[in-house]
PDB file of all heavy atoms in Angstrom:
ATOM      1  N   VAL A 201      -8.263 -28.310   1.634  1.00  0.00           N
ATOM      2  CA  VAL A 201      -6.905 -27.996   1.186  1.00  0.00           C
ATOM      3  C   VAL A 201      -6.362 -29.207   0.435  1.00  0.00           C
ATOM      4  O   VAL A 201      -6.673 -30.347   0.818  1.00  0.00           O
ATOM      5  CB  VAL A 201      -6.017 -27.681   2.408  1.00  0.00           C
ATOM      6  CG1 VAL A 201      -4.565 -27.493   1.997  1.00  0.00           C
ATOM      7  CG2 VAL A 201      -6.542 -26.453   3.148  1.00  0.00           C
ATOM      8  N   PRO A 202      -5.606 -29.019  -0.661  1.00  0.00           N
ATOM      9  CA  PRO A 202      -5.014 -30.177  -1.351  1.00  0.00           C
ATOM     10  C   PRO A 202      -4.359 -31.132  -0.363  1.00  0.00           C
ATOM     11  O   PRO A 202      -3.517 -30.723   0.447  1.00  0.00           O
ATOM     12  CB  PRO A 202      -3.992 -29.533  -2.288  1.00  0.00           C
ATOM     13  CG  PRO A 202      -4.573 -28.197  -2.594  1.00  0.00           C
ATOM     14  CD  PRO A 202      -5.244 -27.744  -1.324  1.00  0.00           C
ATOM     15  N   GLU A 203      -4.731 -32.404  -0.403  1.00  0.00           N
ATOM     16  CA  GLU A 203      -4.363 -33.352   0.643  1.00  0.00           C
ATOM     17  C   GLU A 203      -2.873 -33.588   0.761  1.00  0.00           C
ATOM     18  O   GLU A 203      -2.375 -33.901   1.844  1.00  0.00           O
ATOM     19  CB  GLU A 203      -5.089 -34.686   0.413  1.00  0.00           C
ATOM     20  CG  GLU A 203      -6.598 -34.586   0.601  1.00  0.00           C
ATOM     21  CD  GLU A 203      -7.273 -35.921   0.445  1.00  0.00           C
ATOM     22  OE1 GLU A 203      -6.567 -36.909   0.154  1.00  0.00           O
ATOM     23  OE2 GLU A 203      -8.508 -35.992   0.629  1.00  0.00           O
ATOM     24  N   ASP A 204      -2.130 -33.472  -0.334  1.00  0.00           N
ATOM     25  CA  ASP A 204      -0.699 -33.778  -0.271  1.00  0.00           C
ATOM     26  C   ASP A 204       0.147 -32.570   0.106  1.00  0.00           C
ATOM     27  O   ASP A 204       1.369 -32.656   0.134  1.00  0.00           O
ATOM     28  CB  ASP A 204      -0.220 -34.336  -1.609  1.00  0.00           C
ATOM     29  CG  ASP A 204      -0.459 -33.377  -2.761  1.00  0.00           C
ATOM     30  OD1 ASP A 204      -1.426 -32.595  -2.691  1.00  0.00           O
ATOM     31  OD2 ASP A 204       0.321 -33.400  -3.731  1.00  0.00           O
ATOM     32  N   LEU A 205      -0.485 -31.441   0.414  1.00  0.00           N
ATOM     33  CA  LEU A 205       0.264 -30.239   0.766  1.00  0.00           C
ATOM     34  C   LEU A 205       0.093 -29.902   2.237  1.00  0.00           C
ATOM     35  O   LEU A 205      -1.022 -29.962   2.774  1.00  0.00           O
ATOM     36  CB  LEU A 205      -0.207 -29.044  -0.067  1.00  0.00           C
ATOM     37  CG  LEU A 205       0.030 -29.080  -1.578  1.00  0.00           C
ATOM     38  CD1 LEU A 205      -0.464 -27.787  -2.207  1.00  0.00           C
ATOM     39  CD2 LEU A 205       1.504 -29.303  -1.906  1.00  0.00           C
ATOM     40  N   GLU A 206       1.184 -29.539   2.888  1.00  0.00           N
ATOM     41  CA  GLU A 206       1.134 -28.974   4.232  1.00  0.00           C
ATOM     42  C   GLU A 206       1.319 -27.480   4.084  1.00  0.00           C
ATOM     43  O   GLU A 206       2.417 -27.009   3.772  1.00  0.00           O
ATOM     44  CB  GLU A 206       2.229 -29.580   5.115  1.00  0.00           C
ATOM     45  CG  GLU A 206       2.032 -31.056   5.395  1.00  0.00           C
ATOM     46  CD  GLU A 206       3.097 -31.605   6.337  1.00  0.00           C
ATOM     47  OE1 GLU A 206       3.895 -30.789   6.873  1.00  0.00           O
ATOM     48  OE2 GLU A 206       3.141 -32.828   6.533  1.00  0.00           O
ATOM     49  N   ILE A 207       0.255 -26.730   4.295  1.00  0.00           N
ATOM     50  CA  ILE A 207       0.285 -25.297   4.015  1.00  0.00           C
ATOM     51  C   ILE A 207       1.226 -24.594   4.988  1.00  0.00           C
ATOM     52  O   ILE A 207       1.165 -24.783   6.200  1.00  0.00           O
ATOM     53  CB  ILE A 207      -1.122 -24.688   4.101  1.00  0.00           C
ATOM     54  CG1 ILE A 207      -2.075 -25.431   3.169  1.00  0.00           C
ATOM     55  CG2 ILE A 207      -1.076 -23.204   3.748  1.00  0.00           C
ATOM     56  CD1 ILE A 207      -1.686 -25.390   1.712  1.00  0.00           C
ATOM     57  N   GLN A 208       2.105 -23.775   4.408  1.00  0.00           N
ATOM     58  CA  GLN A 208       3.083 -23.003   5.174  1.00  0.00           C
ATOM     59  C   GLN A 208       2.797 -21.512   4.994  1.00  0.00           C
ATOM     60  O   GLN A 208       2.113 -21.103   4.059  1.00  0.00           O
ATOM     61  CB  GLN A 208       4.497 -23.308   4.689  1.00  0.00           C
ATOM     62  CG  GLN A 208       4.870 -24.776   4.707  1.00  0.00           C
ATOM     63  CD  GLN A 208       5.059 -25.306   6.109  1.00  0.00           C
ATOM     64  OE1 GLN A 208       5.831 -24.758   6.892  1.00  0.00           O
ATOM     65  NE2 GLN A 208       4.371 -26.392   6.432  1.00  0.00           N
TER      66      GLN A 208
END
Side-chain angles (χ1 to χ4, degrees):
V201 174
E203 293 183 358
D204 59 330
L205 295 182
E206 294 183 7
I207 305 300
Q208 305 289 306

